[in-house]
Amino acid sequence: MRVLLSMMGVLVLGTLLFSCKKAPIDAPPVVTSITGKVADADSGTGIAGAQVTTTPATSSYVTASDGSYTISNLTAGQYTVTATKTGYNTNSTTVTVTEGQTTTADIALSRTSPELAVSAATLDFGSVQSNNTFTISNQTGIGTVNWQLSYNQPWMTVSPTSGAVTTNSTVINVAVKRDSLAYGNYSGVITISSDHGSKQVNVIMVKQNPNAPQLTVKPNSLSFGDSTNTLPVTIENTGTGTLHWTTGSNSSWLTASLDSGTATTTNPSIINVSVNRSGLAPNSYQGDVTVTTNGGTQSISVTMQVLSGTVAAPTLQVIGTPTTSTIEVGWTKSTDATFQSYKLYRSQYPGVTEASALDTTITSASMNNHTDTGLNSGTTYYYRVFAYGTNGVGSGSNEVSATTAVSLGKWALVKAIPTQSSANPTKNSLMVLSDNDIWAVIGNEIWQFDGANWTKNFTLAGSGQFQAIFMLNDNLGWAVTSGYVYEYNGITWTQDTSSVVSGISFSDVVATSANNVWVSSNGYYSGDVYYFNGTTWSPTGFNKPIVDLDLVSPNLILALSDQGNVYAYNGSAWASVGTAQGNSFRTISGISSNDVWGTSYELWQIKDGSYVSFLSVNNQSYAQDVCMESASNGWCSYEYNSVFDAGLYHYDGSSWTAVPNPTNSAINCIRMLSSTDGWALAANGALLHYSK
């Protein structure tokens, strides 16, 4: 599943366009809509190019030159309208839309100010490490943050101690010296002050005892807040021999999971520290867990809050199998004498809180289930239930999620690319920012579709052919050929002159910002993934042809080699997640690093490291592309060489089913905006739209 990026995420990956709906060309006149203006909060001037989205999701729009926007073809109900723009703080407003009427939703955005950011809260040097680093940056990338730092321990040195950051970051080098110190545990603090906030970095270090056991406890303080019940603690032996330990606490509400144990230098002990709020009066509480050993004693400081009238939190679970429009959930019953009500909250995004949409309120303690109705098909919903006491304070359950069954729409021909090129679109030829902003490469040309017409944006000189395109927005994008990388600045396409990425056969490109770009190369004998940090290109070190990339999220990129090897990048390192069987590997689409789909002569899946084959039609066919929206919704295309016919298939979480293809040409590239809205490009240049 190629993640579709916000049109405004130039420096930071912005809003993900997971739900955009385009009305059919022959739709009836719009009678229910939201209109408004996005304006600068200080000047009142309209903001052009702001991204406007709604919850529940409808479409994603970009404001006109005067800041105006209109979202049409709506269903009556309550909507939260959100506006985002680089350089401004995101803002939202909630309106109620009435059937057959136009509702106004104006939104004011305040300009983003500089903000100090530090990459680490703690630097742990352990007993061996002498050097470590963290970075100082400007969280917003707007303006300048002038900073200076200080530290409070003589065994620590830090450099540099002052500077300024704008869109760059500064690496801070921290060194510790143990030579003159006695054996034991040490801690210090680095304080970073600035004209836009302050931060602290805790520094912890151990000088190892080479002659006897020595106790080190991590962490040495725990904060449980008002809802956390259990946290882990590690007991290490930073000396020699065997460390014998016992635990104890000074508070009846505070316990450790183990009373005693042993630890060696290679085998630490892990215990759980738990708090019990039952029967406690509303207040803030502080206690200590003490670890006593033959190598020293340390206390773990514990803090906890008990809210007034808090009842026990329920446990929530999904009941049965969701339908196309319903999900049933149930939870444990409250037996608290102060029980007043249950409130079930719902969202289409993880992290449900009491600020999410209220699904239902139940005042009977024995009524502990609810069927949520009127849901969108093929959509994942997240739930939490809160139990409230007579004082109105709620205790939240665990979060659960479920996906409704898919009710399929139809694919329809829209408009072919009016190119004279004899080349076919590639597997990565399509980039969809919204229903009204689509980019495509075919042969030596780059085209843009505005929802009605195609416009040629660029023609490559010479005999090169474009292989892939990736756009962050209309002012920033990349395209690759069999020899070069090209970057778009909103006006012109410019060839990257770096010798590192010149003369290489490229297959794909993805990006999360102007300073985070990846391109894959699939030369006949060699290849790699090359990374661009905004200044320089560098190879990753695969040293094998990489035929496709997939940007699943800002912290998950997948890569597929020509031998079926699948790799995942988690934001800091690449790791193997499995190997597919077969040959002629083409494309990859991931739901997570443990659930990856791909195409070759067949459609296949690597689930938790294991390979599974799907839809192997015959030896005269091969899978073209696959695009997975979720574990229960995906699309793939097949070409049958024997009759040059093309197949489209849909996945509902359990099986693949053939669906009508409105063109007799193979579907080379599929890109889905959501489970109900998608686009595809056929081998003959025809553009197809999926809607429901």
Side-chain angles (χ1 to χ4, degrees):
M1 176 181 66
R2 178 64 55 86
V3 170
L4 302 166
L5 302 179
S6 162
M7 297 178 61
M8 307 314 303
V10 174
L11 297 178
V12 180
L13 182 65
T15 307
L16 299 180
L17 303 177
F18 279 121
S19 183
C20 294
K21 182 182 293 183
K22 180 179 185 296
I25 295 174
D26 58 353
V30 174
V31 294
T32 306
S33 61
I34 297 174
T35 188
K37 180 179 180 180
V38 179
D40 187 290
D42 295 324
S43 67
T45 304
I47 300 174
Q51 188 85 36
V52 180
T53 57
T54 67
T55 303
T58 53
S59 297
S60 176
Y61 285 84
V62 176
T63 55
S65 59
D66 62 350
S68 63
Y69 71 92
T70 298
I71 303 175
S72 304
N73 299 330
L74 298 178
T75 301
Q78 190 177 75
Y79 292 84
T80 298
V81 185
T82 301
T84 58
K85 170 77 174 182
T86 300
Y88 290 85
N89 294 307
T90 298
N91 195 15
S92 300
T93 185
T94 300
V95 295
T96 300
V97 177
T98 303
E99 187 70 30
Q101 296 185 14
T102 297
T103 302
T104 300
D106 293 332
I107 302 175
L109 299 184
S110 58
R111 289 188 177 274
T112 305
S113 59
E115 181 181 345
L116 174 68
V118 175
S119 63
T122 301
L123 294 182
D124 184 357
F125 285 81
S127 59
V128 177
Q129 190 175 2
S130 298
N131 297 280
N132 210 330
T133 64
F134 66 92
T135 59
I136 295 175
S137 60
N138 179 358
Q139 181 72 38
T140 65
I142 305 297
T144 301
V145 174
N146 297 290
W147 59 268
Q148 51 281 327
L149 61 79
S150 59
Y151 48 96
N152 64 351
Q153 295 296 335
W155 44 262
M156 184 195 319
T157 56
V158 184
S159 66
T161 57
S162 63
V165 286
T166 53
T167 59
N168 61 310
S169 60
T170 300
V171 176
I172 306 300
N173 298 290
V174 183
V176 297
K177 291 185 177 181
R178 301 177 177 84
D179 297 344
S180 60
L181 301 178
Y183 306 134
N185 302 282
Y186 294 85
S187 63
V189 175
I190 301 172
T191 301
I192 303 97
S193 304
S194 79
D195 49 1
H196 293 285
S198 61
K199 300 283 186 180
Q200 284 190 337
V201 176
N202 296 310
V203 178
I204 56 178
M205 178 194 69
V206 176
K207 182 166 183 181
Q208 189 170 14
N209 188 336
N211 305 311
Q214 178 174 282
L215 170 66
T216 298
V217 176
K218 296 179 181 178
N220 57 15
S221 64
L222 298 172
S223 176
F224 285 83
D226 58 19
S227 59
T228 303
N229 295 320
T230 302
L231 291 172
V233 170
T234 301
I235 300 173
E236 296 182 356
N237 181 3
T238 53
T240 59
T242 300
L243 183 76
H244 298 271
W245 55 264
T246 59
T247 61
S249 75
N250 62 355
S251 303
S252 60
W253 50 266
L254 180 59
T255 58
S257 59
L258 295 174
D259 295 328
S260 62
T262 60
T264 64
T265 55
T266 59
N267 189 22
S269 298
I270 299 177
I271 63 172
N272 289 319
V273 174
S274 301
V275 297
N276 183 0
R277 297 179 178 83
S278 300
L280 296 180
N283 208 338
S284 296
Y285 290 81
Q286 192 279 328
D288 295 295
V289 172
T290 301
V291 181
T292 304
T293 76
N294 57 333
T297 299
Q298 280 188 254
S299 291
I300 306 164
S301 176
V302 178
T303 58
M304 174 193 70
Q305 287 76 47
V306 177
L307 299 181
S308 177
T310 300
V311 298
T315 299
L316 183 66
Q317 69 179 49
V318 176
I319 300 175
T321 302
T323 69
T324 57
S325 61
T326 66
I327 295 173
E328 184 178 3
V329 294
W331 54 89
T332 53
K333 297 177 183 178
S334 174
T335 58
D336 197 290
T338 65
F339 170 83
Q340 184 179 60
S341 65
Y342 302 117
K343 290 185 179 181
L344 180 67
Y345 291 90
R346 179 188 72 198
S347 175
Q348 291 187 31
Y349 304 94
V352 180
T353 68
E354 291 168 288
S356 302
L358 176 62
D359 196 25
T360 188
T361 300
I362 298 172
T363 57
S364 172
S366 61
M367 187 175 176
N368 61 329
N369 63 78
H370 175 72
T371 299
D372 196 9
T373 61
L375 304 176
N376 296 326
S377 68
T379 304
T380 300
Y381 293 91
Y382 298 82
Y383 297 89
R384 284 183 76 194
V385 64
F386 286 73
Y388 290 84
T390 53
N391 67 336
V393 177
S395 296
S397 71
N398 55 303
E399 182 174 286
V400 300
S401 65
T403 302
T404 52
V406 175
S407 174
L408 291 181
K410 293 182 179 180
W411 287 92
L413 288 170
V414 179
K415 195 168 188 177
I417 300 176
T419 181
Q420 301 301 311
S421 172
S422 61
N424 291 332
T426 67
K427 61 189 179 182
N428 294 310
S429 56
L430 194 63
M431 183 70 200
V432 183
L433 294 175
S434 73
D435 286 334
N436 302 313
D437 194 2
I438 299 173
W439 294 75
V441 293
I442 183 168
N444 65 341
E445 299 168 347
I446 298 177
W447 291 79
Q448 186 178 15
F449 184 68
D450 63 4
N453 298 295
W454 286 100
T455 302
K456 186 185 294 186
N457 184 272
F458 180 68
T459 300
L460 184 67
S463 59
Q465 303 283 304
F466 284 109
Q467 300 299 313
I469 186 170
F470 192 94
M471 304 296 297
L472 279 173
N473 52 66
D474 279 344
N475 294 313
L476 185 61
W478 295 266
V480 295
T481 72
S482 55
Y484 296 98
V485 177
Y486 289 81
E487 181 175 344
Y488 185 62
N489 64 1
I491 303 173
T492 59
W493 289 90
T494 304
Q495 177 185 310
D496 194 300
T497 58
S498 170
S499 60
V500 178
V501 290
S502 296
I504 297 174
S505 178
F506 293 110
S507 58
D508 201 6
V509 53
V510 297
T512 60
S513 71
N515 300 325
N516 288 285
V517 185
W518 293 262
V519 297
S520 59
S521 65
N522 61 335
Y524 188 76
Y525 294 106
S526 64
D528 211 328
V529 173
Y530 294 85
Y531 171 68
F532 182 64
N533 64 3
T535 304
T536 58
W537 288 94
S538 58
T540 299
F542 283 114
N543 297 319
K544 64 178 64 177
I546 303 297
V547 298
D548 199 37
L549 300 173
D550 183 31
L551 176 63
V552 181
S553 72
N555 293 318
L556 179 58
I557 299 172
L558 299 173
L560 172 66
S561 81
D562 67 340
Q563 298 299 309
N565 311 109
V566 179
Y567 304 94
Y569 179 73
N570 63 5
S572 60
W574 290 89
S576 173
V577 299
T579 301
Q581 300 174 19
N583 50 42
S584 297
F585 294 96
R586 293 177 54 79
T587 61
I588 191 172
S589 181
I591 299 163
S592 69
S593 59
N594 296 318
D595 192 357
V596 179
W597 294 79
T599 63
S600 54
Y601 274 111
E602 60 189 6
L603 178 68
W604 46 266
Q605 180 189 25
I606 294 179
K607 180 73 170 177
D608 297 325
S610 298
Y611 166 83
V612 182
S613 172
F614 290 86
L615 288 178
S616 182
V617 181
N618 55 61
N619 59 10
Q620 294 298 314
S621 68
Y622 59 92
Q624 288 280 80
D625 194 17
V626 60
C627 183
M628 301 301 298
E629 272 296 302
S630 68
S632 60
N633 187 33
W635 293 90
C636 78
S637 59
Y638 260 71
E639 178 178 317
Y640 306 146
N641 288 341
S642 58
V643 293
F644 200 72
D645 192 10
L648 264 174
Y649 290 82
H650 177 263
Y651 184 66
D652 63 3
S654 60
S655 62
W656 289 89
T657 304
V659 298
N661 178 5
T663 176
N664 62 358
S665 184
I667 306 300
N668 285 12
C669 187
I670 304 172
R671 296 290 180 260
M672 300 301 295
L673 281 166
S674 71
S675 61
T676 61
D677 189 10
W679 296 84
L681 199 60
N684 60 3
L687 182 67
L688 285 70
H689 182 216
Y690 175 81
S691 62
K692 182 172 73 69

